[in-house]
Amino acid sequence: MSAEFTAEPILAGLKDFQRATVDHAVARLYEAEDSSRRFLVADEVGLGKTLVARGVTARAIERLQRDGVERVDVIYVCSNAEIAAQNVRKLDVTGTGATIASRLTLLAKQVRELRRERLNIVALTPGTSFEQASATGTQEERVLLYALLRRAWDLGRGTGPLNVLQATTRSAAKFRGAIANFNPKEIDAGIAEQFAAALAIRERTERAAGRETIRERFDRSCHEFARVRKHIPGEQRARRNALIGELRGILAAACVEALEPDLVILDEFQRFKHLLDVDNDSEAVSLARALFNWSRPGTEEHARVLMLSATPYRSLTVAGDGGGDDHHADFLATVSFLANGGDAASSLRRLLADYQRELYTTEPDASEPLRTTTARIEAVLSRYMSRTERLGAAGQHDAMLCQRVLTPSLRLPDLQQYLLIQRIADLLEQPDVTELWKSAPYLLNFLDGYKLRARFDAARTVPDSESELAAAIETHAGRLLDRSKLARYDDIDPGAPRLRALVEALVDTEAWRLLWIPPALPY
């Protein structure tokens, strides 16, 4: 990275709304006095969140370089390893940085490379970097652990430690070959020291609490695995796996200390939202929290967290949506994380309660307090997040920036449609059909599978009911689809206000010729 790096060439390639998002995110992350150092970009799918992240990265590098920071580390966290490997290259805005798609534990061998570069883009996945418990990891990680444990503890020359750390590697010869070919000098000395110190602290803490220490658990496992066996009891295997997971967690924590995360980017964070739980003290959350809260020694400079997600929450969920997610609670939890200890979540909870109460009030002047509450909600949220959506506009040059609201017009034939279907429903002792009538035209023609149509078909076989139905239909015969017109491909009235408005917007303007048509119903 040259000393003359500037963000402008990167920003010049952005669309206006993307650049506006970058400017607002950078202002909230770096410039605002009340910044929480965390920000969420929730742009709709396809609007270029990765480009926005690239812009924020460029501005961050430019700013840190101006402040005299010689090494900038950007940590990109994504739940998909393939996507992570692709996007780290996109985030290398200088074209000269070191891009590493890795596991957190393996940074013990890669920190030297990071220290040589002025810009590092490191990609991590939560499943392989933070979730260590009861997981044995890869063979490469276990070879690294063996070398580190030999430095920290006197393992002797027995086969027990080798057999324990062989774990899921099927061939003992293969694992021992990997051990023989590994050069311990590849391990960063600082991380090795931190790992040994963390082991010693863990031992003292456990001994003081009267529990079996990690070294004692390791020695017991070595005794159990003193010889290679094809059939291992499930209980022993579970203890071994938990022990390796614990060791991997200690190593991962040491590696977090070696990182200098100036900017942490969480892509589609809702896939690993548990790592953001401010009230959770699990090992995985603690590791993530150490990354998010990193601060440069001797300064007040902290890591910034940029979160990306297209659709993290739905504003309304009803029974049957599935998944068991409480989007309202999740949304407030995310705001709590973004506020980083602030009271934004509790303030927002009160404002949303006010909004709901004012929304349902029947007072004639209720709209003014509702607008005031809406503005207050927007003021709270804009401190921590932004969202850009596609807005439909037939005939407009840029359909993502200008919205045209369709205005249905009610006509006499529409009311006649309602009178027909409501009369049928009354005869069949069915409830009010207003919502059905508002949703679709020519209901008697298109109600296959609905209870109303099933009762209609059944009633036609009863003489008295059939005559009443026939009389009702005869009164409004013109409100059914005309089979002869369909056969001749004649023009047919849309038969409903909403469909008529859609036809006027798309068919009459020939917008249907476009490759892509904006959605008919705006958010």
Side-chain angles (χ1 to χ4, degrees), residues 85-242:
Q86 294 172 14
N87 284 344
V88 289
R89 292 190 290 272
K90 296 179 183 178
L91 293 172
D92 181 13
V93 293
T94 68
T96 60
T99 57
I100 300 173
S102 182
R103 291 172 176 246
L104 195 53
T105 51
L106 295 182
L107 291 176
K109 299 194 304 179
Q110 298 165 330
V111 164
R112 290 180 184 177
E113 181 182 352
L114 297 180
R115 289 174 178 153
R116 287 197 300 265
E117 301 293 338
R118 297 196 61 190
L119 171 63
N120 300 294
I121 315 288
V122 180
L124 304 173
T125 59
T128 60
S129 290
F130 301 105
E131 308 289 352
Q132 314 288 352
S134 300
T136 58
T138 65
Q139 175 179 282
E140 186 179 7
E141 288 177 278
R142 297 194 300 276
V143 168
L144 180 58
L145 279 174
Y146 180 79
L148 285 165
L149 288 173
R150 285 189 64 84
R151 287 192 184 190
W153 294 338
D154 180 14
L155 297 184
R157 297 186 176 277
T159 59
L162 288 168
N163 294 342
V164 168
L165 291 169
Q166 177 184 326
T168 55
T169 302
R170 293 188 176 182
S171 167
K174 179 180 178 181
F175 184 73
R176 283 159 172 71
I179 293 285
N181 292 328
F182 179 73
N183 182 3
K185 293 182 179 180
E186 294 180 21
I187 302 174
D188 179 75
I191 289 180
E193 291 174 6
Q194 287 179 327
F195 178 75
L199 285 175
I201 293 172
R202 179 74 60 94
E203 279 192 86
R204 287 197 299 270
T205 302
E206 291 171 337
R207 186 175 294 108
R211 300 198 306 269
E212 187 180 26
T213 68
I214 187 170
R215 178 62 194 268
E216 290 169 343
R217 294 195 300 278
F218 183 81
D219 288 343
R220 176 157 61 93
S221 192
C222 289
H223 177 72
E224 292 174 342
F225 287 83
R227 57 187 180 84
V228 177
R229 291 172 292 167
K230 290 185 178 180
H231 302 291
I232 302 170
E235 184 179 347
Q236 290 183 11
R237 185 184 296 109
R239 283 200 299 267
R240 178 202 62 192
N241 293 354

Side-chain angles (χ1 to χ4, degrees), residues 458-489:
R460 289 169 52 197
T461 64
V462 180
D464 290 344
S465 298
E466 182 184 27
S467 60
E468 288 183 318
L469 293 173
I473 292 173
E474 184 66 27
T475 303
H476 301 288
R479 296 303 95 212
L480 296 174
L481 278 175
D482 188 326
R483 184 182 295 273
S484 62
K485 282 189 174 182
L486 289 173
R488 297 194 303 270
Y489 292 94

Side-chain angles (χ1 to χ4, degrees), residues 5 10 49-59 61 72 74-78 83-99 119-123 263-267 306 308:
F5 174 78
I10 304 298
K49 290 181 297 300
T50 303
L51 293 176
V52 170
R54 181 176 162 86
V56 172
T57 300
R59 290 282 299 276
I61 292 170
V72 178
V74 177
I75 314 301
Y76 176 81
V77 183
C78 174
I83 293 176
Q86 294 172 14
N87 284 344
V88 289
R89 292 190 290 272
K90 296 179 183 178
L91 293 172
D92 181 13
V93 293
T94 68
T96 60
T99 57
L119 171 63
N120 300 294
I121 315 288
V122 180
L263 177 64
V264 181
I265 300 174
L266 308 179
D267 199 353
L306 177 65
L308 309 175

Side-chain angles (χ1 to χ4, degrees), residues 404-443:
R404 178 189 173 198
V405 178
L406 300 182
T407 306
S409 58
L410 188 64
R411 298 182 183 179
L412 179 60
D414 305 329
L415 295 175
Q416 292 172 335
Q417 281 266 10
Y418 169 75
L419 291 173
L420 168 61
I421 197 65
Q422 187 60 61
R423 176 58 180 159
I424 298 295
D426 290 342
L427 291 172
L428 300 174
E429 298 182 349
Q430 289 294 288
D432 180 78
V433 295
T434 302
E435 292 303 317
L436 274 175
W437 166 75
K438 287 163 59 177
S439 301
Y442 302 108
L443 283 172

Side-chain angles (χ1 to χ4, degrees), residues 28 34 36 38 331-352 376-377 379-385:
R28 291 302 309 165
D34 62 344
S36 63
R38 298 171 179 179
F331 177 66
L332 291 174
T334 298
V335 172
S336 180
F337 173 80
L338 288 165
N340 196 15
D343 61 354
S346 56
S347 298
L348 182 61
R349 184 180 290 106
R350 291 192 295 269
L351 286 170
L352 290 174
R376 292 172 65 191
I377 291 173
V380 171
L381 294 181
S382 63
R383 294 170 59 190
Y384 306 106
M385 63 186 70

